[in-house]
Short mmCIF file of all heavy atoms in Angstrom, two decimals:
data_model
loop_
_atom_site.label_atom_id
_atom_site.label_comp_id
_atom_site.label_asym_id
_atom_site.label_seq_id
_atom_site.Cartn_x
_atom_site.Cartn_y
_atom_site.Cartn_z
N PHE Z 138 30.11 34.92 -10.96
CA PHE Z 138 30.27 36.03 -11.89
C PHE Z 138 31.22 35.65 -13.03
O PHE Z 138 32.12 34.83 -12.85
CB PHE Z 138 30.87 37.26 -11.18
CG PHE Z 138 29.98 37.87 -10.15
CD1 PHE Z 138 30.25 37.73 -8.79
CD2 PHE Z 138 28.86 38.60 -10.52
CE1 PHE Z 138 29.42 38.30 -7.83
CE2 PHE Z 138 28.04 39.18 -9.58
CZ PHE Z 138 28.32 39.03 -8.23
N THR Z 139 31.03 36.27 -14.18
CA THR Z 139 32.02 36.25 -15.24
C THR Z 139 32.92 37.47 -15.03
O THR Z 139 32.43 38.56 -14.75
CB THR Z 139 31.35 36.33 -16.62
OG1 THR Z 139 30.57 35.15 -16.83
CG2 THR Z 139 32.39 36.44 -17.73
N TYR Z 140 34.23 37.27 -15.13
CA TYR Z 140 35.17 38.38 -14.87
C TYR Z 140 35.91 38.71 -16.16
O TYR Z 140 36.37 37.82 -16.89
CB TYR Z 140 36.16 37.98 -13.79
CG TYR Z 140 37.10 39.10 -13.38
CD1 TYR Z 140 36.62 40.21 -12.68
CD2 TYR Z 140 38.46 39.04 -13.68
CE1 TYR Z 140 37.47 41.23 -12.29
CE2 TYR Z 140 39.32 40.06 -13.29
CZ TYR Z 140 38.82 41.15 -12.60
OH TYR Z 140 39.67 42.17 -12.21
N LEU Z 141 36.03 40.00 -16.41
CA LEU Z 141 36.62 40.47 -17.66
C LEU Z 141 37.53 41.65 -17.39
O LEU Z 141 37.17 42.57 -16.65
CB LEU Z 141 35.49 40.89 -18.62
CG LEU Z 141 35.87 41.56 -19.93
CD1 LEU Z 141 36.56 40.56 -20.84
CD2 LEU Z 141 34.63 42.13 -20.61
N ILE Z 142 38.73 41.61 -17.96
CA ILE Z 142 39.63 42.76 -17.93
C ILE Z 142 39.64 43.37 -19.32
O ILE Z 142 39.91 42.70 -20.32
CB ILE Z 142 41.06 42.36 -17.53
CG1 ILE Z 142 41.06 41.79 -16.10
CG2 ILE Z 142 42.00 43.56 -17.62
CD1 ILE Z 142 42.42 41.27 -15.66
N ALA Z 143 39.31 44.66 -19.41
CA ALA Z 143 39.28 45.37 -20.70
C ALA Z 143 40.39 46.41 -20.71
O ALA Z 143 40.47 47.24 -19.80
CB ALA Z 143 37.93 46.03 -20.90
N THR Z 144 41.25 46.36 -21.69
CA THR Z 144 42.35 47.30 -21.83
C THR Z 144 42.18 48.12 -23.11
O THR Z 144 41.27 47.88 -23.90
CB THR Z 144 43.70 46.58 -21.86
OG1 THR Z 144 43.87 45.93 -23.13
CG2 THR Z 144 43.81 45.55 -20.74
N GLU Z 145 43.10 49.03 -23.31
CA GLU Z 145 43.05 49.85 -24.52
C GLU Z 145 43.20 48.99 -25.78
O GLU Z 145 42.77 49.39 -26.87
CB GLU Z 145 44.14 50.93 -24.48
CG GLU Z 145 45.56 50.46 -24.73
CD GLU Z 145 46.20 49.75 -23.54
OE1 GLU Z 145 45.58 49.69 -22.46
OE2 GLU Z 145 47.34 49.27 -23.70
N GLU Z 146 43.78 47.81 -25.64
CA GLU Z 146 43.98 46.95 -26.81
C GLU Z 146 42.66 46.50 -27.41
O GLU Z 146 42.55 46.33 -28.63
CB GLU Z 146 44.83 45.74 -26.41
CG GLU Z 146 46.26 46.12 -26.01
CD GLU Z 146 47.04 44.95 -25.46
OE1 GLU Z 146 46.48 43.83 -25.41
OE2 GLU Z 146 48.20 45.14 -25.06
N GLN Z 147 41.65 46.27 -26.57
CA GLN Z 147 40.33 45.91 -27.08
C GLN Z 147 39.45 47.15 -27.32
O GLN Z 147 38.74 47.24 -28.32
CB GLN Z 147 39.60 45.00 -26.09
CG GLN Z 147 40.25 43.64 -25.86
CD GLN Z 147 41.34 43.71 -24.81
OE1 GLN Z 147 41.26 44.50 -23.88
NE2 GLN Z 147 42.36 42.88 -24.97
N ILE Z 148 39.52 48.11 -26.41
CA ILE Z 148 38.62 49.26 -26.47
C ILE Z 148 38.92 50.14 -27.68
O ILE Z 148 38.00 50.63 -28.36
CB ILE Z 148 38.73 50.07 -25.17
CG1 ILE Z 148 38.20 49.22 -23.99
CG2 ILE Z 148 37.96 51.39 -25.27
CD1 ILE Z 148 38.49 49.82 -22.63
N TYR Z 149 40.20 50.33 -28.00
CA TYR Z 149 40.58 51.21 -29.11
C TYR Z 149 40.86 50.45 -30.40
O TYR Z 149 41.28 51.05 -31.39
CB TYR Z 149 41.82 52.02 -28.72
CG TYR Z 149 41.59 52.99 -27.57
CD1 TYR Z 149 42.63 53.34 -26.72
CD2 TYR Z 149 40.34 53.55 -27.34
CE1 TYR Z 149 42.42 54.23 -25.67
CE2 TYR Z 149 40.12 54.42 -26.29
CZ TYR Z 149 41.16 54.76 -25.46
OH TYR Z 149 40.95 55.64 -24.42
N LYS Z 150 40.61 49.15 -30.41
CA LYS Z 150 40.95 48.32 -31.56
C LYS Z 150 40.22 48.80 -32.82
O LYS Z 150 39.00 48.87 -32.87
CB LYS Z 150 40.58 46.87 -31.27
CG LYS Z 150 40.93 45.91 -32.40
CD LYS Z 150 40.52 44.48 -32.04
CE LYS Z 150 40.83 43.52 -33.15
NZ LYS Z 150 40.42 42.14 -32.80
N ASP Z 151 41.00 49.16 -33.83
CA ASP Z 151 40.45 49.53 -35.14
C ASP Z 151 39.38 50.62 -35.07
O ASP Z 151 38.42 50.62 -35.85
CB ASP Z 151 39.88 48.30 -35.85
CG ASP Z 151 40.93 47.23 -36.12
OD1 ASP Z 151 42.09 47.60 -36.37
OD2 ASP Z 151 40.60 46.04 -36.05
N GLY Z 152 39.52 51.54 -34.11
CA GLY Z 152 38.59 52.66 -34.02
C GLY Z 152 37.24 52.31 -33.42
O GLY Z 152 36.27 53.06 -33.60
N ARG Z 153 37.17 51.20 -32.69
CA ARG Z 153 35.92 50.78 -32.06
C ARG Z 153 35.33 51.87 -31.18
O ARG Z 153 34.13 52.10 -31.14
CB ARG Z 153 36.23 49.57 -31.17
CG ARG Z 153 35.46 48.33 -31.45
CD ARG Z 153 35.96 47.25 -30.52
NE ARG Z 153 34.84 46.46 -30.05
CZ ARG Z 153 34.78 45.86 -28.89
NH1 ARG Z 153 35.78 45.97 -28.05
NH2 ARG Z 153 33.73 45.15 -28.55
N ASP Z 154 36.19 52.53 -30.41
CA ASP Z 154 35.73 53.56 -29.46
C ASP Z 154 35.06 54.72 -30.19
O ASP Z 154 34.05 55.25 -29.73
CB ASP Z 154 36.89 54.05 -28.62
CG ASP Z 154 38.02 54.62 -29.46
OD1 ASP Z 154 38.45 53.95 -30.43
OD2 ASP Z 154 38.49 55.74 -29.18
N ALA Z 155 35.63 55.12 -31.32
CA ALA Z 155 35.07 56.25 -32.07
C ALA Z 155 33.69 55.90 -32.63
O ALA Z 155 32.77 56.72 -32.62
CB ALA Z 155 36.02 56.65 -33.19
N ARG Z 156 33.53 54.68 -33.11
CA ARG Z 156 32.23 54.27 -33.65
C ARG Z 156 31.19 54.20 -32.54
O ARG Z 156 30.04 54.62 -32.72
CB ARG Z 156 32.36 52.92 -34.37
CG ARG Z 156 33.14 53.02 -35.68
CD ARG Z 156 33.06 51.76 -36.49
NE ARG Z 156 33.86 50.68 -35.92
CZ ARG Z 156 35.16 50.52 -36.15
NH1 ARG Z 156 35.83 51.39 -36.90
NH2 ARG Z 156 35.82 49.51 -35.61
N ALA Z 157 31.60 53.68 -31.38
CA ALA Z 157 30.66 53.62 -30.24
C ALA Z 157 30.22 55.02 -29.84
O ALA Z 157 29.04 55.25 -29.52
CB ALA Z 157 31.32 52.91 -29.06
N SER Z 158 31.13 55.96 -29.86
CA SER Z 158 30.81 57.34 -29.49
C SER Z 158 29.74 57.92 -30.41
O SER Z 158 28.82 58.61 -29.95
CB SER Z 158 32.08 58.20 -29.54
OG SER Z 158 31.79 59.55 -29.25
N VAL Z 159 29.83 57.62 -31.69
CA VAL Z 159 28.84 58.13 -32.66
C VAL Z 159 27.47 57.52 -32.37
O VAL Z 159 26.46 58.24 -32.30
CB VAL Z 159 29.27 57.80 -34.10
CG1 VAL Z 159 28.15 58.13 -35.08
CG2 VAL Z 159 30.53 58.59 -34.46
N TYR Z 160 27.42 56.21 -32.18
CA TYR Z 160 26.12 55.55 -31.94
C TYR Z 160 25.47 56.08 -30.67
O TYR Z 160 24.25 56.34 -30.65
CB TYR Z 160 26.31 54.04 -31.83
CG TYR Z 160 26.82 53.38 -33.09
CD1 TYR Z 160 27.82 52.41 -33.03
CD2 TYR Z 160 26.29 53.70 -34.34
CE1 TYR Z 160 28.29 51.79 -34.18
CE2 TYR Z 160 26.76 53.08 -35.49
CZ TYR Z 160 27.77 52.12 -35.40
OH TYR Z 160 28.23 51.52 -36.54
N ILE Z 161 26.25 56.23 -29.61
CA ILE Z 161 25.69 56.69 -28.34
C ILE Z 161 25.26 58.16 -28.45
O ILE Z 161 24.26 58.57 -27.85
CB ILE Z 161 26.68 56.49 -27.18
CG1 ILE Z 161 26.98 55.00 -27.00
CG2 ILE Z 161 26.14 57.09 -25.89
CD1 ILE Z 161 25.75 54.14 -26.76
N ARG Z 162 25.97 58.95 -29.22
CA ARG Z 162 25.56 60.34 -29.41
C ARG Z 162 24.19 60.40 -30.08
O ARG Z 162 23.32 61.17 -29.65
CB ARG Z 162 26.59 61.09 -30.25
CG ARG Z 162 26.25 62.57 -30.42
CD ARG Z 162 27.38 63.35 -31.04
NE ARG Z 162 27.49 63.15 -32.47
CZ ARG Z 162 28.51 62.55 -33.07
NH1 ARG Z 162 29.51 62.06 -32.37
NH2 ARG Z 162 28.55 62.41 -34.38
N TYR Z 163 23.99 59.59 -31.11
CA TYR Z 163 22.69 59.60 -31.80
C TYR Z 163 21.60 58.92 -30.98
O TYR Z 163 20.41 59.18 -31.22
CB TYR Z 163 22.83 58.96 -33.18
CG TYR Z 163 23.43 59.91 -34.19
CD1 TYR Z 163 24.76 59.81 -34.58
CD2 TYR Z 163 22.66 60.95 -34.73
CE1 TYR Z 163 25.32 60.69 -35.48
CE2 TYR Z 163 23.21 61.84 -35.64
CZ TYR Z 163 24.54 61.71 -36.01
OH TYR Z 163 25.09 62.60 -36.89
N ALA Z 164 21.97 58.08 -30.04
CA ALA Z 164 20.96 57.48 -29.16
C ALA Z 164 20.21 58.54 -28.37
O ALA Z 164 19.05 58.36 -28.02
CB ALA Z 164 21.63 56.49 -28.20
N ARG Z 165 20.86 59.66 -28.12
CA ARG Z 165 20.26 60.73 -27.34
C ARG Z 165 19.32 61.62 -28.17
O ARG Z 165 18.65 62.48 -27.62
CB ARG Z 165 21.36 61.59 -26.71
CG ARG Z 165 22.28 60.82 -25.77
CD ARG Z 165 23.18 61.76 -24.98
NE ARG Z 165 24.09 61.01 -24.14
CZ ARG Z 165 25.36 60.75 -24.44
NH1 ARG Z 165 25.85 61.19 -25.58
NH2 ARG Z 165 26.12 60.06 -23.61
N SER Z 166 19.30 61.41 -29.47
CA SER Z 166 18.38 62.17 -30.32
C SER Z 166 16.94 61.77 -29.99
O SER Z 166 16.68 60.68 -29.48
CB SER Z 166 18.65 61.89 -31.80
OG SER Z 166 19.99 62.21 -32.13
N HIS Z 167 16.03 62.68 -30.29
CA HIS Z 167 14.62 62.38 -30.01
C HIS Z 167 13.84 62.24 -31.32
O HIS Z 167 13.92 63.10 -32.20
CB HIS Z 167 13.98 63.49 -29.17
CG HIS Z 167 12.53 63.27 -28.93
ND1 HIS Z 167 12.06 62.32 -28.05
CD2 HIS Z 167 11.43 63.86 -29.48
CE1 HIS Z 167 10.74 62.33 -28.06
NE2 HIS Z 167 10.33 63.25 -28.91
N TYR Z 168 13.11 61.14 -31.42
CA TYR Z 168 12.21 60.92 -32.55
C TYR Z 168 10.84 60.53 -32.01
O TYR Z 168 10.74 59.84 -30.98
CB TYR Z 168 12.73 59.79 -33.46
CG TYR Z 168 13.97 60.17 -34.24
CD1 TYR Z 168 15.24 59.94 -33.71
CD2 TYR Z 168 13.87 60.77 -35.49
CE1 TYR Z 168 16.38 60.29 -34.42
CE2 TYR Z 168 15.02 61.12 -36.21
CZ TYR Z 168 16.26 60.88 -35.66
OH TYR Z 168 17.39 61.23 -36.36
N ALA Z 169 9.80 60.97 -32.68
CA ALA Z 169 8.44 60.61 -32.27
C ALA Z 169 8.28 59.09 -32.32
O ALA Z 169 8.87 58.41 -33.17
CB ALA Z 169 7.42 61.29 -33.19
N ASP Z 170 7.45 58.57 -31.43
CA ASP Z 170 7.24 57.12 -31.35
C ASP Z 170 6.77 56.54 -32.66
O ASP Z 170 7.19 55.44 -33.05
CB ASP Z 170 6.24 56.79 -30.24
CG ASP Z 170 6.78 57.07 -28.85
OD1 ASP Z 170 8.02 57.21 -28.72
OD2 ASP Z 170 5.98 57.14 -27.90
N ASP Z 171 5.90 57.25 -33.36
CA ASP Z 171 5.36 56.71 -34.61
C ASP Z 171 6.42 56.66 -35.70
O ASP Z 171 6.41 55.77 -36.55
CB ASP Z 171 4.13 57.49 -35.08
CG ASP Z 171 4.44 58.96 -35.33
OD1 ASP Z 171 5.31 59.52 -34.64
OD2 ASP Z 171 3.81 59.54 -36.24
N VAL Z 172 7.37 57.60 -35.67
CA VAL Z 172 8.46 57.60 -36.65
C VAL Z 172 9.35 56.38 -36.43
O VAL Z 172 9.73 55.67 -37.38
CB VAL Z 172 9.29 58.90 -36.54
CG1 VAL Z 172 10.55 58.80 -37.41
CG2 VAL Z 172 8.45 60.10 -36.95
N VAL Z 173 9.69 56.12 -35.18
CA VAL Z 173 10.51 54.95 -34.85
C VAL Z 173 9.77 53.66 -35.20
O VAL Z 173 10.34 52.74 -35.82
CB VAL Z 173 10.88 54.95 -33.35
CG1 VAL Z 173 11.54 53.63 -32.94
CG2 VAL Z 173 11.81 56.12 -33.04
N ARG Z 174 8.50 53.60 -34.85
CA ARG Z 174 7.70 52.40 -35.11
C ARG Z 174 7.60 52.11 -36.60
O ARG Z 174 7.79 50.96 -37.04
CB ARG Z 174 6.32 52.56 -34.50
CG ARG Z 174 5.42 51.33 -34.66
CD ARG Z 174 4.10 51.49 -33.92
NE ARG Z 174 3.37 52.68 -34.36
CZ ARG Z 174 3.23 53.79 -33.62
NH1 ARG Z 174 3.78 53.87 -32.43
NH2 ARG Z 174 2.54 54.82 -34.09
N ASP Z 175 7.34 53.14 -37.40
CA ASP Z 175 7.20 52.94 -38.85
C ASP Z 175 8.52 52.47 -39.47
O ASP Z 175 8.52 51.60 -40.35
CB ASP Z 175 6.74 54.23 -39.52
CG ASP Z 175 5.30 54.59 -39.18
OD1 ASP Z 175 4.60 53.72 -38.61
OD2 ASP Z 175 4.89 55.72 -39.47
N ALA Z 176 9.62 53.06 -39.00
CA ALA Z 176 10.93 52.66 -39.52
C ALA Z 176 11.23 51.20 -39.18
O ALA Z 176 11.71 50.44 -40.03
CB ALA Z 176 12.02 53.57 -38.95
N LEU Z 177 10.92 50.79 -37.97
CA LEU Z 177 11.19 49.41 -37.56
C LEU Z 177 10.33 48.41 -38.33
O LEU Z 177 10.79 47.33 -38.70
CB LEU Z 177 10.96 49.25 -36.06
CG LEU Z 177 12.00 49.95 -35.16
CD1 LEU Z 177 11.58 49.89 -33.71
CD2 LEU Z 177 13.38 49.30 -35.34
N VAL Z 178 9.09 48.78 -38.61
CA VAL Z 178 8.21 47.91 -39.38
C VAL Z 178 8.78 47.70 -40.78
O VAL Z 178 8.82 46.56 -41.30
CB VAL Z 178 6.78 48.50 -39.46
CG1 VAL Z 178 5.95 47.76 -40.51
CG2 VAL Z 178 6.10 48.42 -38.11
N LYS Z 179 9.24 48.76 -41.40
CA LYS Z 179 9.82 48.65 -42.74
C LYS Z 179 11.12 47.86 -42.71
O LYS Z 179 11.38 47.03 -43.59
CB LYS Z 179 10.06 50.04 -43.32
CG LYS Z 179 8.78 50.80 -43.64
CD LYS Z 179 9.10 52.19 -44.17
CE LYS Z 179 7.82 52.97 -44.48
NZ LYS Z 179 8.11 54.35 -44.96
N LEU Z 180 11.93 48.10 -41.70
CA LEU Z 180 13.21 47.39 -41.60
C LEU Z 180 13.00 45.90 -41.34
O LEU Z 180 13.80 45.08 -41.78
CB LEU Z 180 14.06 48.00 -40.49
CG LEU Z 180 14.65 49.38 -40.80
CD1 LEU Z 180 15.26 49.99 -39.54
CD2 LEU Z 180 15.69 49.28 -41.91
#
Side-chain angles (χ1 to χ4, degrees):
F138 294 108
T139 295
Y140 185 69
L141 173 69
I142 297 175
T144 74
E145 75 284 354
E146 294 173 1
Q147 296 84 32
I148 295 169
Y149 295 151
K150 182 180 179 181
D151 298 326
R153 237 177 140 210
D154 58 310
R156 289 190 287 276
S158 177
V159 171
Y160 297 136
I161 297 303
R162 183 170 77 247
Y163 281 102
R165 299 191 183 99
S166 302
H167 177 74
Y168 290 90
D170 291 343
D171 60 327
V172 171
V173 171
R174 183 174 57 252
D175 290 348
L177 289 172
V178 168
K179 292 178 181 178
L180 288 170

